[in-house]
Amino acid sequence: MFYNESGLIDWKQTFNKLRGTKMTKKEIKAQAKGRNGQIDFTISVDDNHIDDIIVNKSSETPAIFNQAFGKLKDSVIKNQSFDVDAVSGASLMTQGMLDSGKKALEENGIQTKVVNVSEHRDITLNVDVAVIGTGMAGLMAAARALSMGKKVVVLEKNGYIGGATILNGSNVVGTGSRVSAEIFGKEAAKDSPVRLVKDITRECRGTNYLMLSKLLADNIGKAVDFITDFADLKYQKAETQTVEHSVDRQIEMPSESSYELVTKVAKAFEEKGGQILLDSRVEKLNKDKDGKLVSLVAEGKHQTTTVNFKSLVLAAGGWGAKDYEAHKTSVLYYGPMTSTGDYFDFAKNMNLVTRNLDWYKVYPHGLEVEPGVAKLTTYSTKEVSDMGAIFVNQDGKRIVDESAPYTHFRDAIGEQKGKVAYIVMDQKMWDRFYELMLKYGFTKEEVQGFFDLEGKKSPVLVKGDLKTAADKAGINYKTLKETMDNYADDVKAKYDPEFGRDPKFLHAYEGDTYYIIEQKQRFATTLGGYETNDKMELLDTNIDPVANFYAAGEIVGGANGHDSMPSMMNSWSYASGFVAGTSAADNANFNIQVSENIEADAVSGASE
């Protein structure tokens, strides 16, 4: 008899022994190269059957990795083979896992099935409203149109949902919402759409388009309340209420995760009858004989989809990755590499008017995790700034009021040699900084790897006594020591003569261990884009609305001007999506019924 750890009979081992066979269960280790580093995983195999795949180590962005890996794992186990398709939008990581998994099985003599290649098929869908993009703007528009009784389909080029939204926190403003009234109580009455527009205008120094700013402010409360009811969401007061906002108005999901947000909204959308098509890259827009937009064609690995619609909402995100790869900006990029502005190709002959295509939302808080690519540390940096941490340059001098708005940091860092600054922290500050790093996209192994670099290359994360840390970081120790001594005097005096920092943020450093962390400018979001009217109808170069064509989210520029406040890009996706979905549904009511054979009347595609 064979017994398990609990002392009970292990009948499987006993039966195999009696059969005279050997156990073939194996745990096979494999490694793959992801976008952000090495991925370690284990393949559980029993009698040549793949039972499970478990990831032991990964530095990939969790919101993308979890979706892509889940889809990959299901496909491998279902087909009992690593000869399956990589996941669109995460092909580097997933193909790496497929190749290394297959190699690991072969080296262990494991035979798996040969997967038959699926035949390519053509399908046609007839809907009231089609939406391109599964970021929050697209999901909001789709959910709103669906709630108004319309048949809605959402197309996503990637093999996972969320777009750039899943790289953000979930925080938005709740101005004018029932939700905010419940969260903030009487304090909510201090806020108003007028006050929000004033804050937007001040922060971007008047570069915003007032019509869109007012549209945002007037509709964000309606959008928050709508999606809360639609997807049964729960919000709380955001952990961080940033100084750019003149009142407390920022709210977020309890997990603070926009991944939770989009997955819940997508689930509710599908449960209520909406359809989401992944791996569906729109490549062509078609007009009818009267020149009106009536259909699109999307391509996937195994399917070509033609969608006939009454209204189309374009919510396909920004083009930051496109500009980054084209070296149009020297600012580090931290957005999804799938933000490639494909619509500039498939909609190029729609004669859409654009503005401010060189505007980016630049943040001052980021680590350069690989050449040219950053990860955000916004939440960590804001927290330790409130705890009293200071920013210095390579000369060891303070450069800014550390409790000022983000734009002050951005401009100050941009003026430094190498456009880099450093946060100096004590142990208590670092512990909180590190806690929030792990909460927002970093792993323990990744952070330890940064420290192992000993400051010899970016990103610089070092620790030790002040001299040791300064030397490792390449900072002038003598000047830094003077800076720290002067700051200690300022703390005691509760007065900052150099930058006028609010005394409530002047806190003494504790202990003899210091952490010095590099900070560089970074961007993910583009702030320019296509122009629309107040119904979110796209405009052509004659500033006339394009029939049946709407837009929402990052692709539409102007609401936040050149510098959006924290939470405002998410807020724009909510409000613009809500308005676009409403307008698209209304348009469908007055549009002619979609014909089964509408494609027969279509003239050349807009992208031809």
Side-chain angles (χ1 to χ4, degrees):
M1 292 287 183
F2 287 86
Y3 297 87
N4 60 26
E5 294 179 353
S6 300
L8 301 176
I9 296 173
D10 188 325
W11 288 109
K12 185 174 182 179
Q13 289 199 60
T14 300
F15 178 71
N16 283 335
K17 180 67 176 178
L18 293 173
R19 267 196 329 178
T21 60
K22 294 182 179 180
M23 292 297 294
T24 58
K25 189 168 184 177
K26 293 184 177 180
E27 300 292 323
I28 299 172
K29 304 292 184 181
Q31 294 180 340
K33 183 179 180 181
R35 174 167 173 75
N36 296 333
Q38 181 174 297
I39 302 170
D40 295 343
F41 59 102
T42 301
I43 309 166
S44 297
V45 180
D46 193 356
D47 287 332
N48 283 350
H49 186 275
I50 302 172
D51 287 346
D52 199 4
I53 306 171
I54 299 172
V55 174
N56 309 112
K57 173 187 174 183
S58 169
S59 297
E60 303 303 291
T61 303
I64 296 176
F65 181 78
N66 292 341
Q67 291 190 72
F69 171 68
K71 187 172 183 179
L72 187 77
K73 174 180 173 178
D74 290 345
S75 181
V76 169
I77 293 177
K78 177 183 177 181
N79 290 282
Q80 285 300 294
S81 175
F82 278 83
D83 286 318
V84 296
D85 289 329
V87 178
S88 298
S91 55
L92 187 152
M93 176 266 290
T94 51
Q95 188 61 57
M97 294 187 72
L98 290 172
D99 293 342
S100 59
K102 179 180 179 181
K103 181 179 179 181
L105 292 185
E106 290 175 347
E107 290 175 346
N108 282 270
I110 305 297
Q111 301 298 318
T112 58
K113 294 181 180 179
V114 175
V115 179
N116 294 323
V117 178
S118 300
E119 291 186 9
H120 195 91
R121 64 174 186 162
D122 297 304
I123 69 167
T124 298
L125 300 175
N126 297 307
V127 301
D128 296 312
V129 178
V131 178
I132 303 174
T134 59
M136 193 55 198
L139 290 176
M140 177 67 81
R144 176 59 174 164
L146 184 71
S147 75
M148 295 174 68
K150 303 306 163 196
K151 184 177 182 180
V152 184
V153 64
V154 184
L155 300 105
E156 170 60 58
K157 68 178 180 180
N158 296 319
Y160 53 87
I161 66 169
T165 298
I166 55 176
L167 298 183
N168 302 331
S170 63
N171 49 329
V172 298
V173 300
T175 303
S177 68
R178 179 191 72 248
V179 171
S180 274
E182 293 171 355
I183 291 173
F184 294 104
K186 293 181 180 180
E187 291 296 306
K190 295 180 180 179
D191 197 11
S192 69
V194 171
R195 186 165 189 164
L196 179 56
V197 170
K198 185 176 180 180
D199 287 351
I200 292 171
T201 305
R202 182 199 66 247
E203 177 64 17
C204 72
R205 301 172 188 176
T207 56
N208 55 318
Y209 291 79
L210 279 175
M211 181 271 288
L212 292 180
S213 299
K214 291 177 180 178
L215 182 148
L216 189 167
D218 289 340
N219 287 280
I220 184 59
K222 299 173 188 176
V224 166
D225 287 340
F226 163 73
I227 207 65
T228 297
D229 294 337
F230 181 89
D232 191 26
L233 303 179
K234 298 291 187 290
Y235 287 92
Q236 64 183 21
K237 180 178 179 179
E239 184 175 359
T240 300
Q241 299 292 320
T242 57
V243 68
E244 288 85 351
H245 294 270
S246 62
V247 293
D248 287 356
R249 58 164 70 105
Q250 292 160 281
I251 60 176
E252 64 190 4
M253 304 289 286
S255 67
E256 304 177 13
S257 167
S258 54
Y259 173 61
E260 177 191 4
L261 172 69
V262 296
T263 52
K264 284 186 174 180
V265 173
K267 180 180 179 183
F269 173 73
E270 291 184 305
E271 288 178 345
K272 295 174 188 288
Q275 185 176 8
I276 297 177
L277 298 179
L278 301 179
D279 187 26
S280 297
R281 183 188 186 95
V282 176
E283 296 191 352
K284 187 177 182 182
L285 302 180
N286 292 318
K287 305 172 186 175
D288 65 11
K289 59 187 178 182
D290 296 321
K292 290 186 177 180
L293 190 61
V294 292
S295 70
L296 62 80
V297 179
E299 294 291 348
K301 291 186 180 73
H302 305 294
Q303 180 173 296
T304 298
T305 305
T306 299
V307 181
N308 301 316
F309 51 74
K310 299 175 183 178
S311 301
L312 175 64
V313 179
L314 184 59
W319 59 92
K322 180 178 182 180
D323 280 9
Y324 159 70
E325 293 186 328
H327 304 291
K328 289 187 177 181
T329 173
S330 61
V331 180
L332 303 175
Y333 182 65
Y334 78 101
M337 299 310 294
T338 53
S339 290
T340 50
D342 305 328
Y343 36 80
F344 289 136
D345 292 324
F346 68 69
K348 65 182 179 182
N349 288 344
M350 296 298 293
N351 297 318
L352 301 176
V353 63
T354 62
R355 60 181 167 212
N356 307 128
L357 297 186
D358 59 345
W359 281 9
Y360 312 107
K361 175 53 186 175
V362 179
Y363 281 93
H365 313 125
L367 293 180
E368 188 175 14
V369 295
E370 61 178 274
V373 177
K375 276 191 176 184
L376 67 86
T377 61
T378 303
Y379 300 100
S380 300
T381 304
K382 176 65 171 65
E383 187 77 4
V384 298
S385 294
D386 289 349
M387 294 171 69
I390 64 172
F391 267 60
V392 302
N393 58 20
Q394 288 182 336
D395 293 328
K397 296 180 179 179
R398 278 180 72 199
I399 63 171
V400 71
D401 170 4
E402 292 82 2
S403 302
Y406 290 155
T407 52
H408 293 233
F409 280 91
R410 180 202 63 202
D411 294 345
I413 291 178
E415 294 171 357
Q416 306 309 312
K417 182 170 56 178
K419 295 186 177 182
V420 61
Y422 303 86
I423 312 175
V424 182
M425 294 176 279
D426 63 15
Q427 186 67 53
K428 182 179 180 181
M429 297 171 189
W430 164 252
D431 289 343
R432 182 58 175 155
F433 191 97
Y434 180 57
E435 178 185 352
L436 292 176
M437 286 182 78
L438 299 184
K439 193 171 185 177
Y440 292 102
F442 291 87
T443 66
K444 293 180 180 179
E445 294 79 10
E446 184 179 22
V447 175
Q448 184 56 53
F450 298 154
F451 276 106
D452 291 343
L453 296 173
E454 295 285 345
K456 296 177 182 177
K457 57 180 290 190
S458 192
V460 173
L461 285 81
V462 298
K463 67 178 180 179
D465 58 49
L466 189 61
K467 187 176 190 313
T468 299
D471 289 346
K472 287 181 179 180
I475 295 173
N476 184 303
Y477 166 67
K478 182 179 179 180
T479 305
L480 179 59
K481 179 66 166 58
E482 291 175 356
T483 297
M484 298 301 295
D485 290 342
N486 290 337
Y487 184 72
D489 291 339
D490 296 344
V491 171
K492 291 178 182 178
K494 298 186 181 302
Y495 174 66
D496 176 13
E498 189 171 11
F499 293 105
R501 191 178 192 181
D502 191 319
K504 69 181 180 181
F505 299 119
L506 298 176
H507 302 297
Y509 280 62
E510 300 174 2
D512 298 322
T513 300
Y514 293 85
Y515 290 78
I516 297 179
I517 310 301
E518 174 187 275
Q519 294 281 265
K520 291 184 177 181
Q521 294 179 343
R522 59 174 174 83
F523 87 99
T525 307
T526 44
L527 292 172
Y530 289 131
E531 291 198 43
T532 69
N533 59 19
D534 59 3
K535 294 181 180 179
M536 299 309 294
E537 292 178 287
L538 282 160
L539 304 178
D540 64 19
T541 50
N542 293 319
I543 317 301
D544 292 324
V546 178
N548 307 333
F549 207 3
Y550 302 82
E554 189 180 351
I555 197 172
V556 180
N560 286 298
H562 191 264
D563 289 300
S564 66
M565 296 189 295
S567 303
M568 293 312 297
M569 292 308 297
N570 282 346
S571 300
W572 174 238
S573 70
Y574 274 54
S576 62
F578 180 80
V579 175
T582 302
S583 298
D586 286 341
N587 180 68
N589 289 332
F590 297 100
N591 211 337
I592 61 171
Q593 182 63 39
V594 174
S595 167
E596 293 286 340
N597 299 309
I598 192 103
E599 64 271 20
D601 296 325
V603 296
S604 60
S607 59
E608 292 184 345

